[in-house]
Short mmCIF file of all heavy atoms in Angstrom, two decimals:
data_model
loop_
_atom_site.label_atom_id
_atom_site.label_comp_id
_atom_site.label_asym_id
_atom_site.label_seq_id
_atom_site.Cartn_x
_atom_site.Cartn_y
_atom_site.Cartn_z
N GLY A 1227 23.23 -1.46 -6.73
CA GLY A 1227 24.06 -2.41 -7.48
C GLY A 1227 23.32 -3.65 -7.91
O GLY A 1227 23.93 -4.65 -8.29
N GLU A 1228 21.98 -3.62 -7.87
CA GLU A 1228 21.19 -4.77 -8.33
C GLU A 1228 19.81 -4.29 -8.74
O GLU A 1228 19.38 -3.18 -8.40
CB GLU A 1228 21.07 -5.82 -7.23
CG GLU A 1228 20.49 -5.32 -5.92
CD GLU A 1228 20.44 -6.40 -4.87
OE1 GLU A 1228 19.91 -7.48 -5.17
OE2 GLU A 1228 20.94 -6.17 -3.75
N GLU A 1229 19.09 -5.14 -9.50
CA GLU A 1229 17.78 -4.78 -10.02
C GLU A 1229 16.72 -5.04 -8.95
O GLU A 1229 16.15 -6.12 -8.87
CB GLU A 1229 17.48 -5.57 -11.29
CG GLU A 1229 18.41 -5.30 -12.45
CD GLU A 1229 18.32 -3.85 -12.93
OE1 GLU A 1229 17.18 -3.34 -13.02
OE2 GLU A 1229 19.36 -3.25 -13.23
N LEU A 1230 16.45 -4.04 -8.14
CA LEU A 1230 15.46 -4.18 -7.08
C LEU A 1230 14.08 -3.72 -7.51
O LEU A 1230 13.07 -4.27 -7.09
CB LEU A 1230 15.89 -3.37 -5.85
CG LEU A 1230 17.22 -3.77 -5.20
CD1 LEU A 1230 17.59 -2.75 -4.14
CD2 LEU A 1230 17.10 -5.15 -4.58
N ALA A 1231 14.04 -2.68 -8.34
CA ALA A 1231 12.77 -2.09 -8.75
C ALA A 1231 12.56 -2.30 -10.24
O ALA A 1231 13.50 -2.31 -11.04
CB ALA A 1231 12.75 -0.60 -8.43
N ILE A 1232 11.30 -2.49 -10.63
CA ILE A 1232 10.95 -2.64 -12.04
C ILE A 1232 11.03 -1.28 -12.72
O ILE A 1232 10.50 -0.28 -12.22
CB ILE A 1232 9.53 -3.22 -12.19
CG1 ILE A 1232 9.47 -4.62 -11.55
CG2 ILE A 1232 9.11 -3.26 -13.64
CD1 ILE A 1232 8.05 -5.19 -11.50
N VAL A 1233 11.70 -1.24 -13.86
CA VAL A 1233 11.87 0.00 -14.60
C VAL A 1233 11.20 -0.14 -15.96
O VAL A 1233 11.52 -1.04 -16.74
CB VAL A 1233 13.37 0.34 -14.79
CG1 VAL A 1233 13.52 1.62 -15.62
CG2 VAL A 1233 14.06 0.48 -13.45
N THR A 1234 10.21 0.75 -16.24
CA THR A 1234 9.55 0.78 -17.54
C THR A 1234 9.33 2.23 -17.94
O THR A 1234 9.51 3.15 -17.15
CB THR A 1234 8.19 0.05 -17.53
OG1 THR A 1234 7.24 0.86 -16.83
CG2 THR A 1234 8.29 -1.31 -16.85
N ASP A 1235 8.87 2.42 -19.18
CA ASP A 1235 8.53 3.76 -19.64
C ASP A 1235 7.09 4.13 -19.30
O ASP A 1235 6.64 5.23 -19.62
CB ASP A 1235 8.70 3.85 -21.17
CG ASP A 1235 10.17 3.72 -21.57
OD1 ASP A 1235 11.01 4.13 -20.75
OD2 ASP A 1235 10.45 3.21 -22.66
N ILE A 1236 6.37 3.22 -18.63
CA ILE A 1236 4.95 3.46 -18.33
C ILE A 1236 4.85 4.27 -17.03
O ILE A 1236 5.33 3.81 -15.99
CB ILE A 1236 4.19 2.13 -18.17
CG1 ILE A 1236 4.34 1.29 -19.45
CG2 ILE A 1236 2.72 2.39 -17.85
CD1 ILE A 1236 3.76 -0.10 -19.31
N PRO A 1237 4.26 5.46 -17.05
CA PRO A 1237 4.12 6.24 -15.82
C PRO A 1237 3.31 5.47 -14.78
O PRO A 1237 2.33 4.79 -15.11
CB PRO A 1237 3.38 7.50 -16.28
CG PRO A 1237 3.64 7.59 -17.75
CD PRO A 1237 3.73 6.18 -18.23
N GLY A 1238 3.72 5.57 -13.52
CA GLY A 1238 2.98 4.93 -12.44
C GLY A 1238 3.36 3.48 -12.23
O GLY A 1238 2.62 2.74 -11.56
N THR A 1239 4.51 3.04 -12.80
CA THR A 1239 4.91 1.64 -12.61
C THR A 1239 5.12 1.32 -11.14
O THR A 1239 4.70 0.28 -10.64
CB THR A 1239 6.21 1.35 -13.40
OG1 THR A 1239 5.95 1.55 -14.79
CG2 THR A 1239 6.66 -0.08 -13.17
N THR A 1240 5.81 2.21 -10.41
CA THR A 1240 6.05 2.00 -8.98
C THR A 1240 4.80 2.43 -8.22
O THR A 1240 4.44 3.61 -8.22
CB THR A 1240 7.27 2.81 -8.50
OG1 THR A 1240 8.41 2.42 -9.25
CG2 THR A 1240 7.52 2.55 -7.02
N ARG A 1241 4.13 1.46 -7.60
CA ARG A 1241 2.91 1.74 -6.86
C ARG A 1241 3.14 1.81 -5.35
O ARG A 1241 2.41 2.47 -4.65
CB ARG A 1241 1.86 0.66 -7.16
CG ARG A 1241 1.48 0.54 -8.63
CD ARG A 1241 0.78 1.80 -9.11
NE ARG A 1241 0.27 1.67 -10.46
CZ ARG A 1241 -0.98 1.28 -10.75
NH1 ARG A 1241 -1.82 0.98 -9.79
NH2 ARG A 1241 -1.37 1.20 -12.00
N ASP A 1242 4.12 1.08 -4.85
CA ASP A 1242 4.37 1.03 -3.42
C ASP A 1242 5.84 1.31 -3.16
O ASP A 1242 6.68 1.20 -4.06
CB ASP A 1242 4.00 -0.35 -2.86
CG ASP A 1242 3.72 -0.32 -1.37
OD1 ASP A 1242 3.89 0.75 -0.76
OD2 ASP A 1242 3.32 -1.37 -0.81
N ALA A 1243 6.14 1.69 -1.91
CA ALA A 1243 7.52 2.01 -1.56
C ALA A 1243 8.39 0.77 -1.58
O ALA A 1243 7.99 -0.30 -1.10
CB ALA A 1243 7.56 2.66 -0.18
N ILE A 1244 9.58 0.90 -2.15
CA ILE A 1244 10.57 -0.18 -2.17
C ILE A 1244 11.75 0.28 -1.32
O ILE A 1244 12.31 1.34 -1.54
CB ILE A 1244 11.04 -0.48 -3.61
CG1 ILE A 1244 9.85 -0.91 -4.47
CG2 ILE A 1244 12.12 -1.55 -3.61
CD1 ILE A 1244 10.18 -1.07 -5.93
N ARG A 1245 12.11 -0.53 -0.32
CA ARG A 1245 13.13 -0.12 0.65
C ARG A 1245 14.36 -1.00 0.51
O ARG A 1245 14.24 -2.21 0.33
CB ARG A 1245 12.56 -0.22 2.08
CG ARG A 1245 11.31 0.59 2.27
CD ARG A 1245 10.60 0.25 3.57
NE ARG A 1245 9.31 0.92 3.65
CZ ARG A 1245 9.09 2.10 4.18
NH1 ARG A 1245 10.11 2.76 4.72
NH2 ARG A 1245 7.90 2.64 4.21
N GLN A 1246 15.50 -0.38 0.66
CA GLN A 1246 16.76 -1.12 0.58
C GLN A 1246 17.82 -0.39 1.40
O GLN A 1246 17.88 0.85 1.40
CB GLN A 1246 17.23 -1.24 -0.88
CG GLN A 1246 18.53 -1.99 -1.07
CD GLN A 1246 18.41 -3.47 -0.72
OE1 GLN A 1246 17.33 -4.00 -0.64
NE2 GLN A 1246 19.54 -4.13 -0.55
N ILE A 1247 18.65 -1.16 2.11
CA ILE A 1247 19.78 -0.59 2.84
C ILE A 1247 21.02 -0.72 1.99
O ILE A 1247 21.36 -1.83 1.53
CB ILE A 1247 19.99 -1.29 4.19
CG1 ILE A 1247 18.74 -1.15 5.07
CG2 ILE A 1247 21.19 -0.69 4.92
CD1 ILE A 1247 18.85 -1.86 6.40
N ILE A 1248 21.72 0.37 1.75
CA ILE A 1248 22.94 0.34 0.97
C ILE A 1248 24.05 1.05 1.75
O ILE A 1248 23.79 1.76 2.72
CB ILE A 1248 22.76 1.01 -0.42
CG1 ILE A 1248 22.48 2.51 -0.25
CG2 ILE A 1248 21.65 0.34 -1.20
CD1 ILE A 1248 22.49 3.26 -1.57
N ASP A 1249 25.26 0.85 1.31
CA ASP A 1249 26.44 1.44 1.93
C ASP A 1249 26.82 2.70 1.16
O ASP A 1249 27.15 2.64 -0.03
CB ASP A 1249 27.58 0.42 1.91
CG ASP A 1249 28.83 0.92 2.65
OD1 ASP A 1249 29.00 2.14 2.78
OD2 ASP A 1249 29.64 0.08 3.06
N VAL A 1250 26.74 3.85 1.85
CA VAL A 1250 27.15 5.12 1.22
C VAL A 1250 28.37 5.63 1.96
O VAL A 1250 28.27 6.24 3.02
CB VAL A 1250 26.01 6.16 1.27
CG1 VAL A 1250 26.48 7.48 0.65
CG2 VAL A 1250 24.78 5.65 0.54
N GLY A 1251 29.54 5.33 1.43
CA GLY A 1251 30.78 5.79 2.06
C GLY A 1251 30.97 5.27 3.47
O GLY A 1251 31.54 5.95 4.31
N GLY A 1252 30.47 4.06 3.75
CA GLY A 1252 30.60 3.48 5.08
C GLY A 1252 29.41 3.73 5.97
O GLY A 1252 29.28 3.12 7.03
N VAL A 1253 28.51 4.63 5.56
CA VAL A 1253 27.32 4.95 6.34
C VAL A 1253 26.13 4.19 5.77
O VAL A 1253 25.88 4.25 4.56
CB VAL A 1253 27.03 6.47 6.31
CG1 VAL A 1253 25.77 6.79 7.10
CG2 VAL A 1253 28.21 7.25 6.84
N PRO A 1254 25.38 3.45 6.60
CA PRO A 1254 24.21 2.76 6.07
C PRO A 1254 23.12 3.76 5.68
O PRO A 1254 22.83 4.70 6.43
CB PRO A 1254 23.74 1.87 7.24
CG PRO A 1254 24.37 2.44 8.46
CD PRO A 1254 25.62 3.16 8.02
N ALA A 1255 22.56 3.58 4.51
CA ALA A 1255 21.51 4.46 4.02
C ALA A 1255 20.27 3.62 3.71
O ALA A 1255 20.35 2.64 2.98
CB ALA A 1255 21.95 5.22 2.78
N HIS A 1256 19.14 4.01 4.29
CA HIS A 1256 17.87 3.35 4.04
C HIS A 1256 17.20 4.09 2.90
O HIS A 1256 16.60 5.15 3.10
CB HIS A 1256 17.00 3.36 5.29
CG HIS A 1256 17.69 2.79 6.51
ND1 HIS A 1256 17.54 1.48 6.92
CD2 HIS A 1256 18.56 3.35 7.39
CE1 HIS A 1256 18.26 1.27 8.00
NE2 HIS A 1256 18.90 2.39 8.30
N ILE A 1257 17.31 3.54 1.69
CA ILE A 1257 16.78 4.20 0.50
C ILE A 1257 15.35 3.72 0.27
O ILE A 1257 15.08 2.51 0.28
CB ILE A 1257 17.64 3.90 -0.73
CG1 ILE A 1257 19.10 4.25 -0.48
CG2 ILE A 1257 17.11 4.65 -1.94
CD1 ILE A 1257 19.39 5.70 -0.41
N ILE A 1258 14.45 4.67 0.03
CA ILE A 1258 13.05 4.33 -0.24
C ILE A 1258 12.68 4.90 -1.60
O ILE A 1258 12.69 6.12 -1.81
CB ILE A 1258 12.12 4.90 0.84
CG1 ILE A 1258 12.56 4.42 2.23
CG2 ILE A 1258 10.67 4.49 0.57
CD1 ILE A 1258 11.77 5.06 3.36
N ASP A 1259 12.36 3.99 -2.54
CA ASP A 1259 11.87 4.39 -3.85
C ASP A 1259 10.36 4.47 -3.76
O ASP A 1259 9.70 3.53 -3.29
CB ASP A 1259 12.29 3.36 -4.91
CG ASP A 1259 11.76 3.70 -6.29
OD1 ASP A 1259 11.46 4.89 -6.54
OD2 ASP A 1259 11.63 2.78 -7.12
N THR A 1260 9.79 5.58 -4.19
CA THR A 1260 8.36 5.81 -3.97
C THR A 1260 7.62 6.00 -5.29
O THR A 1260 8.22 6.16 -6.36
CB THR A 1260 8.16 7.08 -3.11
OG1 THR A 1260 8.73 8.20 -3.79
CG2 THR A 1260 8.82 6.91 -1.76
N ALA A 1261 6.31 5.98 -5.16
CA ALA A 1261 5.46 6.22 -6.33
C ALA A 1261 5.66 7.65 -6.84
O ALA A 1261 5.89 8.58 -6.06
CB ALA A 1261 3.99 6.01 -5.96
N GLY A 1262 5.58 7.81 -8.16
CA GLY A 1262 5.71 9.14 -8.74
C GLY A 1262 4.60 10.06 -8.25
O GLY A 1262 3.43 9.67 -8.16
N LEU A 1263 4.98 11.31 -7.94
CA LEU A 1263 4.01 12.26 -7.40
C LEU A 1263 3.31 12.98 -8.55
O LEU A 1263 3.93 13.74 -9.29
CB LEU A 1263 4.73 13.26 -6.48
CG LEU A 1263 5.39 12.63 -5.25
CD1 LEU A 1263 6.22 13.67 -4.50
CD2 LEU A 1263 4.35 12.02 -4.33
N ARG A 1264 2.02 12.73 -8.66
CA ARG A 1264 1.22 13.39 -9.69
C ARG A 1264 -0.25 13.22 -9.32
O ARG A 1264 -0.61 12.46 -8.42
CB ARG A 1264 1.47 12.76 -11.07
CG ARG A 1264 1.01 11.30 -11.15
CD ARG A 1264 1.05 10.78 -12.56
NE ARG A 1264 0.61 9.39 -12.66
CZ ARG A 1264 0.39 8.76 -13.81
NH1 ARG A 1264 0.60 9.38 -14.95
NH2 ARG A 1264 -0.01 7.50 -13.82
N GLU A 1265 -1.12 13.93 -10.02
CA GLU A 1265 -2.56 13.75 -9.85
C GLU A 1265 -2.95 12.46 -10.56
O GLU A 1265 -2.54 12.21 -11.70
CB GLU A 1265 -3.33 14.93 -10.45
CG GLU A 1265 -3.08 16.25 -9.73
CD GLU A 1265 -3.61 16.23 -8.31
OE1 GLU A 1265 -4.62 15.52 -8.07
OE2 GLU A 1265 -3.03 16.90 -7.43
N SER A 1266 -3.73 11.61 -9.88
CA SER A 1266 -4.10 10.33 -10.47
C SER A 1266 -5.49 9.94 -10.01
O SER A 1266 -5.89 10.23 -8.87
CB SER A 1266 -3.10 9.25 -10.08
OG SER A 1266 -3.51 7.98 -10.55
N GLU A 1267 -6.24 9.27 -10.90
CA GLU A 1267 -7.55 8.74 -10.55
C GLU A 1267 -7.47 7.26 -10.20
O GLU A 1267 -8.47 6.68 -9.76
CB GLU A 1267 -8.52 8.95 -11.73
CG GLU A 1267 -8.76 10.41 -12.10
CD GLU A 1267 -9.32 11.19 -10.91
OE1 GLU A 1267 -10.16 10.63 -10.17
OE2 GLU A 1267 -8.93 12.36 -10.73
N ASP A 1268 -6.31 6.66 -10.42
CA ASP A 1268 -6.12 5.24 -10.11
C ASP A 1268 -6.05 5.07 -8.59
O ASP A 1268 -5.19 5.66 -7.93
CB ASP A 1268 -4.84 4.75 -10.77
CG ASP A 1268 -4.64 3.25 -10.60
OD1 ASP A 1268 -4.51 2.80 -9.44
OD2 ASP A 1268 -4.62 2.53 -11.62
N LEU A 1269 -6.95 4.27 -8.01
CA LEU A 1269 -7.02 4.13 -6.56
C LEU A 1269 -5.72 3.57 -5.99
O LEU A 1269 -5.22 4.08 -4.96
CB LEU A 1269 -8.19 3.21 -6.18
CG LEU A 1269 -8.35 2.93 -4.68
CD1 LEU A 1269 -8.57 4.21 -3.91
CD2 LEU A 1269 -9.51 1.96 -4.45
#
């Protein structure tokens, strides 16, 4: 319900995990947004 992660059309924008606790039907959920899975030469 808020802008926690940067959203762009550029592949690989998310470099590190972003963690947030949200309420899913009364149950706390620890959501982790991760880097896109692909082959990359970028360290």
